[in-house]
């Protein structure tokens, strides 16, 4: 008797081991079936009361699953329940966030319709996101599925099973990437499944990402929290947090391997004041590309921007002012994306800084003051203008916030300077400064010191004081003090300069200095010059006497 009892226990243990192994590798439920995993204390009669649509339906379940004793079920084994025998209700899903060109195509309809936040999704719906679109779907059990740009997925089962209202949810990822957060639950029968061309992913409570390459050639799994059961055609693998795997249709499941580490984003600025956005971070060893995303603060479902650069830097053309979270992760050579690195930041780029007009970068301004000019910004009520000796503007030499016109004169001694301007809109809404502009203030070139011109038979000889290297003298000779009738007008570095003998009369002479960079200083005061008449006629009597002799 004892020997037979021992053999019975051995057979029971073997049966339990076989069933447990079969349960671990159980095929995903067919579309018309629901699979229930046996818990300790379960009986077919009890299951019938909770989940079946008739009190005696348990007998059919017993026959279908070839169960000998309806009161002695093996914990961990799986019981197949056709949906036609199961008491269930159809649940709904909802698009809680949509950005950009996202669409949904109902089963049986030829034309997709735009997807909007608040739209209900049902079994068979085909959801697509465009190149710059994203969406987040919330399911009846509280699970959330975030869909990145360039993704196509199909909503599978949305059911609530039996009296306990057990969720039975599935989606089919056709192409692209999705990120799923399934809240933990103590219910052993709850099921959420993500199907891909190469592997089916079953979860109870976890956070993971799933991806499918174009044409379904390869599927990816990246587990962030909890654990995911990955069922391939030939085997099943349990993937823990921090690991991922790559699978191909018909191929064996590779062993899960560690995900790339999170990047260090601590060096990124907390405040940005420039558009387009340009955010860089240290490279991750082994990463061949990155995924960079921008979310609204405290809203991880609201994906606003998404990029996959090959270098550790992301660029985006535009984003409204506000507070955001940057999320970055590395991607290895097989396409597995790693742990996330997050960095909150604030963008304050408006009102826009004006375009600076003058002086332009590295320009030279002359005189004892510089006139700064910039383009007028439409929402600006006034401007904040600063001039400093260095580009840090730690100690501005000129600092005014009440400039109401796009122009201001600033007294400055000669030397190098930097200037910048910012817009201030209504309500004291201050925008960022534009890029600093370097310029050099120079003293006005002094006009040449003209010497008294010498009158000779060859004309007027004009001289001036010594000029600096590279400078040129510009002098004019005119018949009137307004210099409208010019006798001579030349630029030269050689002196003396000869002016051909003009007719006797009064003339005016003036000069100015042209700097080496072509800047022309002011003309000096005009000098009056008298060219006398010739006295040769006084000698005519003497000449006549010589001829008469």
């Amino acid at each position: 008797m004892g020997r037979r009892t021992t053999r019975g226990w051995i057979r029971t243990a073997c049966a339990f081991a076989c069933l447990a192994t079969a349960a671990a590798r159980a095929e995903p439920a067919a579309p018309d079936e629901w699979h229930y995993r046996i818990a300790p204390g379960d009986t077919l009669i009890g299951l019938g009361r909770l989940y079946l649509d008739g009190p005696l339906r348990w007998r059919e379940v017993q026959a279908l699953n070839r169960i000998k004793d309806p009161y002695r079920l093996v914990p961990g084994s799986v019981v197949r329940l056709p949906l036609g025998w199961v008491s269930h209700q159809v649940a709904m899903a909802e698009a809680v966030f949509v950005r950009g060109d996202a669409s949904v195509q109902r089963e049986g309809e030829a034309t997709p319709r735009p997807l909007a936040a608040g739209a209900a999704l049902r079994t068979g719906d085909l959801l697509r996101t465009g190149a710059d679109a994203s969406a987040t779907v919330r399911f009846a059990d509280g699970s959330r599925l975030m869909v990145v740009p360039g993704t196509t997925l199909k909503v599978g089962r949305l059911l609530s099973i039996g009296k306990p209202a057990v969720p039975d949810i599935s989606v089919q990822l056709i192409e692209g990437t999705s990120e799923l957060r399934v809240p933990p639950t103590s219910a052993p029968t709850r099921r959420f499944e993500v199907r891909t061309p190469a592997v089916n992913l079953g979860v109870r409570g976890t956070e993971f990402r799933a991806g499918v390459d174009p044409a379904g050639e390869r599927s990816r799994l990246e587990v962030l929290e909890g654990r995911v059961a990955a069922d391939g055609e030939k085997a099943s693998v349990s993937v823990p947090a921090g690991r991922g795997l790559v699978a191909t249709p018909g191929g064996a499941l590779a062993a899960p391997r560690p995900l790339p580490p999170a990047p260090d984003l601590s060096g990124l600025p907390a405040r940005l004041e420039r558009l387009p956005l340009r955010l860089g971070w240290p490279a991750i060893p082994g990463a061949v590309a990155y995924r960079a995303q921008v979310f609204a603060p405290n809203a991880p479902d609201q994906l606003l921007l998404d990029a996959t650069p090959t270098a550790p830097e992301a660029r985006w053309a535009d984003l409204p002012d506000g507070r955001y979270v940057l999320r970055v992760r590395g991607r290895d050579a097989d396409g597995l994306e790693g742990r996330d690195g997050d960095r909150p930041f604030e963008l304050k780029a408006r009102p826009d800084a004006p375009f600076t007009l003058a002086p332009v970068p590295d320009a030279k301004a002359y005189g004892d003051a510089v006139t700064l000019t910039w383009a007028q910004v439409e929402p600006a009520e006034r401007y904040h203008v600063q001039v400093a000796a260095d580009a840090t503007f730690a100690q501005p030499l000129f600092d005014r916030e009440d400039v109401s016109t796009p122009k201001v004169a600033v007294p400055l001694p000669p030397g190098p300077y930097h200037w910048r301007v910012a817009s201030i809109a209504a309500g004291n809404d201050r925008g960022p400064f534009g890029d600093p502009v370097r310029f050099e203030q120079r003293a006005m070139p002094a006009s040449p010191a003209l010497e008294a011109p010498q009158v000779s038979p060859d004309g007027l000889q004009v001289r001036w004081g010594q000029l600096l290297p590279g400078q040129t003298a510009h002098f004019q000779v005119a018949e009137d003090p307004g210099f409208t009738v010019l006798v001579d007008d030349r630029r030269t570095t050689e002196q003396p300069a000869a002016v051909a003998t003009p007719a006797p009369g009064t003339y005016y002479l003036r000069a100015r200095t042209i700097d080496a960079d072509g800047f022309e200083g002011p003309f000096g005061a005009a000098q009056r010059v008298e060219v006398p008449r010739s006295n040769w006629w006084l000698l005519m009597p003497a000449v006549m006497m010589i001829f008469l002799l």
Side-chain angles (χ1 to χ4, degrees), residues 39-58:
D42 280 342
T43 67
L44 283 186
I45 297 173
L47 295 183
R49 294 194 191 100
L50 290 175
Y51 300 107
L52 300 180
D53 62 355
L56 301 180
R57 181 77 79 174
W58 64 269

Side-chain angles (χ1 to χ4, degrees), residues 170-194:
S170 70
V171 296
Q172 180 185 358
L173 183 59
I174 300 171
E175 181 179 348
T177 300
S178 64
E179 184 170 338
L180 182 65
R181 291 201 307 276
V182 179
T185 178
S186 59
T189 54
R190 184 270 201 91
R191 187 182 72 166
F192 199 119
E193 187 178 60
V194 178

